[in-house]
């Protein structure tokens, strides 16, 4: 804990200060915008950006992670709370903090129990599909705020302001960096300017709103921000622990996935080591801190952490400086924050979220593995059609389903001898010789409950097409593990083959697998032998006979 | 379809007739008892035993499967309907048939879409734990009917009759077979007598109830059975399609698992081949037939199918004969059926279900793999504490969780050369020599989303302890597959190592894996080479240098 502080070097300070300032300036509009996505008053987004990064700095392991509100997690928060309380009500705010509390407690518990492996319940294509679906949902949710009225209606001044903001943000994203560099601005400053474009657009729109009194024209603004730091929030609704549990589990899962993918990308760039279980503790503590601030679930964000990193952050001190600046913004006179036009905030959300759309995974999966590409599209469609919560469950089901489906089609090769050598190869790929009474099968997969029936079925099939078989040799060189279900399978095959007077032999069993099998009844009851090599098995069983029988 | 009928041989008839009669006699009390478990009138259990086996005979592939009511599926039916309608109401009966309809439609759809692999979502220890938990729940549910009053109260005559029945059934199960054989009865007849003991006890209790007018003493009986065959039922409750969907999915899953495990065990004994997807069609059709009969979800039962098999069934004709006899029992005068005492039926359920308790899986898993044993106990506890529906989901989560957990700890070996040979082995198990600048890692697992992060982490760790490494060779001899997530991983490792000026090489890539990788960008961007063997890789990279550096 705070190891980075003990080894803090003075030369790290400049980077941390500049990153702290840049991220704070980015955080104000982003935090307020994502609070709106979650159905909360904009100030909640600032509350969610003060204590949570402090908690993360205490417990997390990433040096450059920036913890706070994040688009998808805010979308999920809104989806979870919508059926439970009217948006804007005080119950809604209590429930948002309670959701952060439960999510945080779950993340902490997972960290303590070292359940970091749970992140592996989503495959990469499924995560990509989930993100694409969620991005579309978020954009769809911002159409009405952008137009200032419910689509297909619009409110002229709001729509003009919203579309103008959108145009400026898109232009800044596409060309501002190149333009500034051409004007002689250094690459670092040009990059920072691009990152701060949303802040500048929001300031511009706020100034416009003030000058022309756009509020009087009906352009909605963020409204007055309660002055001062967030009060300690300990409120909870006792009737809502149960209905919040499942959404909190799904949100905690996505918090973890999102944060880990951001942290890992950056840790790789800096060649740092992350401790996945301490990351869980950091995220759990952050969400508890968010709950205490009366805010909502938070996570590490890829886009914001990348800004933190490229603006020079060396340690979590950068995040502490960001937090301090945001706290300062709440205590100084900040009447201007009340004038932020919502159409402009909607535009910043749309542009930020479109940046999350990343089609390279789909493209690659489409070329490499159509089934993975189909899973990606199914995950996107699931989110779009059934919502973001169902989307998480669909994503897990798709990931697991793909795994089980692949496992149910194990690769099994019939082996034959190459000439008179000691080498045995797949008879479908090599001109290898088989013996009429010895069937040699190489199982190219770890044996476990997901494939044991399929392997058993395949063995039966091969035996049916080779009725003269008296010995079955299973070559286990590629079998990395044998679970309890598969052990039962082996014992059943053994018994069944014994009834049919066919020997069951194992060859090339790996050390760790053999160590485990010795703890079972299998070696004692095996109706055959365990051979070190396939050649030794065939020499012993075939008695050198009939090597002239050539298959294929 | 009906292939067995086209090839029917006359010598199969005797066995089919005797099995048909034996199973019919077993089915009457069992069907009525399991209808009670489902919260339905006893006659529904007979309805569920007529058309469903006929439908299965048309579509299924097992020759000896006996389809009808089954304890766990009845328990799940009761659990699904209890919150939706009061037991005994006509709505309850409509919903029971509707549940069979939805389950049947889901099973049919899975069969048409060839989703038989979905059975692999439960590991064997988890299935065993689930069964144990469900068995306890069923027994617990029969305590009150056995006592004739709500525990801790009891109704004297009911309790006496119930406990007497229980005693007789247990004695019959334990000693009747041996006794009869000692008295010179043939093993076949002794076995049949044991199987029919529940029928005989029920007949005895019914006679007692009639003779002594136990009904007047307050012993509850099955009550009058509506005469005649079931009317065609097309009723459904339009408001209940949605709430029934999830229970129907869980029930369909368990129907499939239960039936497949029964069918597979018997098919192995008879060396028959099952078509898993046609089994789904058979079970789907059976449940639709049950719905049309106004009954409830049905499945193939291990215990009943075993009786069918050992009583001589050769083909589904045995089940058709059973169905015909049960239909006959409904049309002949059957007033005696009304007098069946419920405490005796409860005793038959308890004894039947205790027969499902099978602790050998726990014992074996405990010795072989504590984690699997823990999953078994967790599945049992889940069913007992949270109910049978949550138990199915917990079971799936446990199975998947175990798989992901195991995948997150892949076995990776650092390889060294044995002497000056071409053989490379794990340096922790053999006195093998490594080179200071070439790190050779053998990955003992297929690469996929579940382990790609763990493998990447392990690679980083090994590189950190060997800072002189200039070449990393991944030996892929045990990598049976590389999914899209893992392809991304490989590409990221490649890019990262390139930045650090470390070459990434692959060796011994399997044919099918290499075929797939050729469809990706990896071969073109690889910062290294693909070698046929580890020895060739080390010869080329180490330039024969420094073979004297000995590790361990």
């Amino acid at each position: 804990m705070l190891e980075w502080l003990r080894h803090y070097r003075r030369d790290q300070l400049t980077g941390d200060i500049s990153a702290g300032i840049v991220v704070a300036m980015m955080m104000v509009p982003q935090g307020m915008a994502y609070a709106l996505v979650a159905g909360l008053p904009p100030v909640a987004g600032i509350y969610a950006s003060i204590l949570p990064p402090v908690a993360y700095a205490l417990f997390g392991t990433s040096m450059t992670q920036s913890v706070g509100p994040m688009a998808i997690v805010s979308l999920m928060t809104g989806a979870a709370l919508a059926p439970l309380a009217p948006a804007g009500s005080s119950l809604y705010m209590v429930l948002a903090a309670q959701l952060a509390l439960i999510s945080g407690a779950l993340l902490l518990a997972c960290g303590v129990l070292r359940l970091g492996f749970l992140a592996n319940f989503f495959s990469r294509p499924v995560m990509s599909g989930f993100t694409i679906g969620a991005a579309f949902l978020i954009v769809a949710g911002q159409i009405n705020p952008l137009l200032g009225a419910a689509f297909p209606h619009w409110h002229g001044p709001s729509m003009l302001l919203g579309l103008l903001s959108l145009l400026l943000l898109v232009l800044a994203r596409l060309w501002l960096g190149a333009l500034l560099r051409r004007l002689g601005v250094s690459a670092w400053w040009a990059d920072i300017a691009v990152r701060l474009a949303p802040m500048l657009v929001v300031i511009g729109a706020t100034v416009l709103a003030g000058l022309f009194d756009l509020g009087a024209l009906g352009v909605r603004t963020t409204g007055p921000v309660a002055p001062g730091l967030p009060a300690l929030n300990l409120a909870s609704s006792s009737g809502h622990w149960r209905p919040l549990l499942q959404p909190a589990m799904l949100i905690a899962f996505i918090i973890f996935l999102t944060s880990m993918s951001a942290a890992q990308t950056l840790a790789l760039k800096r060649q740092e080591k992350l401790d996945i279980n301490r990351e869980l503790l950091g995220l759990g503590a952050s969400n508890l801190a968010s709950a205490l601030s009366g805010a909502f679930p938070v996570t590490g964000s890829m886009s914001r952490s990348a800004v933190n990193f490229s603006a020079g952050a060396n340690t979590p001190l950068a995040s502490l400086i960001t937090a301090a600046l945001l706290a300062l913004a709440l205590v100084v006179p900040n009447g201007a924050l009340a004038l932020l036009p919502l159409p402009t905030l909607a535009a910043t959300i749309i542009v930020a979220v479109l940046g999350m759309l990343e089609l390279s995974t789909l493209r690659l999966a489409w070329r490499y593995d159509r089934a993975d590409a189909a899973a990606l599209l199914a995950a996107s469609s699931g989110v779009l059609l059934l919502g973001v919560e169902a989307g998480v469950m669909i994503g897990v089901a798709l990931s697991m389903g793909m795994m089980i489906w692949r496992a149910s089609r194990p690769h099994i090769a019939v082996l034959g001898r190459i000439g008179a050598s000691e080498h045995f190869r797949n008879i479908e790929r090599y001109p290898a010789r088989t013996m009429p009474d010895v069937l040699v099968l190489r199982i190219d997969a770890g044996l476990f409950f997901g494939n044991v029936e399929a392997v058993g079925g395949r063995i039966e099939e091969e035996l049916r097409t080779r009725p003269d078989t008296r010995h079955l040799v299973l070559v286990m060189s590629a079998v990395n593990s044998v679970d309890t279900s598969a052990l039962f399978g082996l014992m059943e095959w053994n018994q069944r083959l014994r009834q049919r007077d066919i020997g069951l032999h194992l060859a090339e069993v790996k050390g760790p697998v053999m160590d485990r099998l010795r703890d079972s009844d299998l070696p004692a009851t095996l109706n055959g032998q365990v051979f070190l090599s396939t050649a030794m098995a065939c020499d012993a069983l075939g008695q050198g006979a009939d090597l002239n029988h050539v298959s294929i």
Side-chain angles (χ1 to χ4, degrees), chain A:
Chain A
M1 219 162 98
L2 288 181
E3 210 174 315
W4 58 270
L5 195 54
R6 277 201 296 277
H7 302 105
Y8 201 85
R9 299 190 318 270
R10 201 178 238 184
D11 63 314
Q12 295 176 317
L13 191 60
T14 329
D16 281 342
I17 291 177
S18 65
I21 297 172
V22 168
V23 174
M25 291 171 72
M26 181 184 181
M27 202 77 144
V28 174
Q30 194 181 68
M32 295 173 96
Y34 292 161
L36 288 171
V37 170
L40 289 160
V43 71
I46 312 232
Y47 293 170
S49 314
I50 299 175
L51 283 189
V54 175
Y56 181 84
L58 289 174
F59 295 96
T61 51
S62 165
M63 288 295 112
T64 50
Q65 180 72 286
S66 171
V67 170
M70 187 261 176
I72 296 180
V73 169
S74 294
L75 173 73
M76 293 184 76
T77 301
L81 301 184
L84 301 178
S89 66
S90 63
L91 175 61
Y92 192 97
M93 286 193 276
V94 167
L95 294 182
Q98 199 167 343
L99 194 60
L101 179 68
I102 306 174
S103 304
L106 289 170
L107 287 162
L108 269 182
C110 286
V112 171
L113 298 172
R114 311 188 69 74
L115 301 182
F117 74 92
L118 291 178
N120 295 337
F121 270 98
F122 251 36
S123 74
R124 181 151 181 163
V126 163
M127 184 66 196
S128 173
F130 175 79
T131 305
I132 291 172
F136 274 114
L137 280 192
I138 294 168
V139 169
Q142 295 307 312
I143 299 295
N144 289 351
L146 189 79
L147 301 179
F151 183 85
H153 304 287
W154 65 82
H155 173 250
S158 300
M159 188 179 69
L160 270 179
L161 186 63
L163 292 179
L164 179 67
S165 307
L166 197 60
L167 182 68
L168 285 173
L169 288 166
V170 170
L171 290 177
R173 190 163 199 115
L174 296 179
W175 290 306
L176 183 61
L179 180 70
L180 288 176
R181 278 194 299 276
R182 203 176 304 163
L183 294 176
V185 177
S186 77
W188 193 89
W189 279 109
D191 190 43
I192 295 299
V194 173
R195 308 291 193 175
L196 292 183
M199 181 70 177
L200 300 174
V201 170
V202 165
I203 291 176
T206 308
V207 170
L208 268 183
L211 284 180
F212 299 101
D213 199 7
L214 293 180
L217 288 175
V219 176
R220 294 183 57 213
T221 60
T222 45
V225 167
L229 295 173
L232 185 67
N233 164 62
L234 293 170
S236 69
S237 161
S238 58
H240 284 94
W241 294 107
R242 257 221 83 160
L244 286 175
L245 183 60
Q246 184 184 311
M249 286 171 63
L250 300 177
I251 288 174
F253 179 63
I254 295 298
I255 285 174
F256 183 40
L257 284 183
T258 312
S259 180
M260 280 313 293
S261 87
Q264 262 158 350
T265 308
L266 296 172
L268 289 180
K269 285 194 185 157
R270 295 169 55 100
Q271 295 185 37
E272 284 168 0
K273 192 170 155 45
L274 293 178
D275 179 333
I276 195 164
N277 292 303
R278 279 202 39 209
E279 283 299 297
L280 279 166
L281 297 181
L283 292 169
S286 302
N287 278 284
L288 294 187
S290 190
L292 290 177
S293 313
F296 57 102
V298 293
T299 186
S301 135
M302 176 68 109
S303 59
R304 202 168 50 223
S305 300
V307 170
N308 197 33
F309 172 78
S310 56
N314 292 305
T315 71
L317 183 64
S319 294
L320 297 182
I321 292 169
T322 299
L325 290 174
L326 291 174
L328 194 67
L330 287 179
V331 292
V332 299
N334 54 20
L337 283 181
L339 297 175
L340 256 76
L342 296 189
T344 300
L345 276 185
T348 66
I349 297 173
I350 291 172
V351 172
V353 162
L354 288 179
M356 285 174 9
L357 280 185
E358 186 255 297
L359 296 179
S360 69
T361 304
L362 176 58
R363 206 162 42 230
L364 189 143
W366 187 259
R367 267 177 54 205
Y368 183 69
D369 189 334
R370 288 286 153 85
D372 269 337
L376 189 159
L377 294 173
S380 297
S381 321
V383 172
L384 286 175
L385 297 176
L386 301 173
V388 71
E389 284 192 13
V392 178
M393 292 188 274
I394 291 168
V396 170
L398 281 169
S399 303
M400 298 298 110
M402 290 290 292
M403 182 162 56
I404 291 289
W405 176 68
R406 290 211 171 100
S408 72
R409 305 155 77 209
H411 187 257
I412 293 177
V414 179
L415 301 191
R417 195 188 281 261
I418 303 287
S421 75
E422 302 230 318
H423 295 290
F424 283 75
R425 290 283 184 281
N426 185 346
I427 59 168
E428 289 185 5
R429 290 189 171 237
Y430 295 86
R433 289 151 185 239
T434 60
M435 293 187 284
D437 57 340
V438 181
L439 172 61
V440 183
L441 295 180
R442 190 186 67 214
I443 301 170
D444 286 348
L447 282 173
F448 76 116
F449 65 86
N451 62 15
V452 63
E453 291 300 341
V455 172
R458 182 66 192 283
I459 290 175
E460 281 302 317
E461 228 167 79
E462 295 294 341
L463 286 174
R464 208 170 291 123
T465 61
R466 292 173 175 79
D468 294 337
T469 303
R470 298 270 52 89
H471 297 283
L472 171 65
V473 180
L474 296 182
V475 179
M476 309 274 280
S477 53
V479 175
N480 300 307
S481 61
V482 174
D483 81 350
T484 306
S485 307
L487 177 65
F488 268 100
L490 278 169
M491 286 172 20
E492 281 164 8
W493 303 338
N494 182 47
Q495 200 183 339
R496 199 188 330 153
L497 292 172
R498 183 197 297 279
Q499 285 165 6
R500 283 143 74 177
D501 210 19
I502 300 176
L504 175 65
H505 311 270
L506 305 179
E508 303 186 31
V509 183
K510 293 196 165 199
V513 173
M514 199 63 223
D515 290 351
R516 298 293 306 286
L517 287 179
R518 281 201 196 91
D519 289 342
S520 79
D521 293 332
L522 188 69
T525 58
L526 192 69
N527 183 32
Q529 291 172 259
V530 178
F531 294 98
L532 278 180
S533 78
T534 310
M536 288 161 80
C538 289
D539 289 346
L541 301 171
Q543 292 146 342
D546 208 350
L547 274 171
N548 298 317
H549 177 83
V550 177
S551 156
I552 295 209

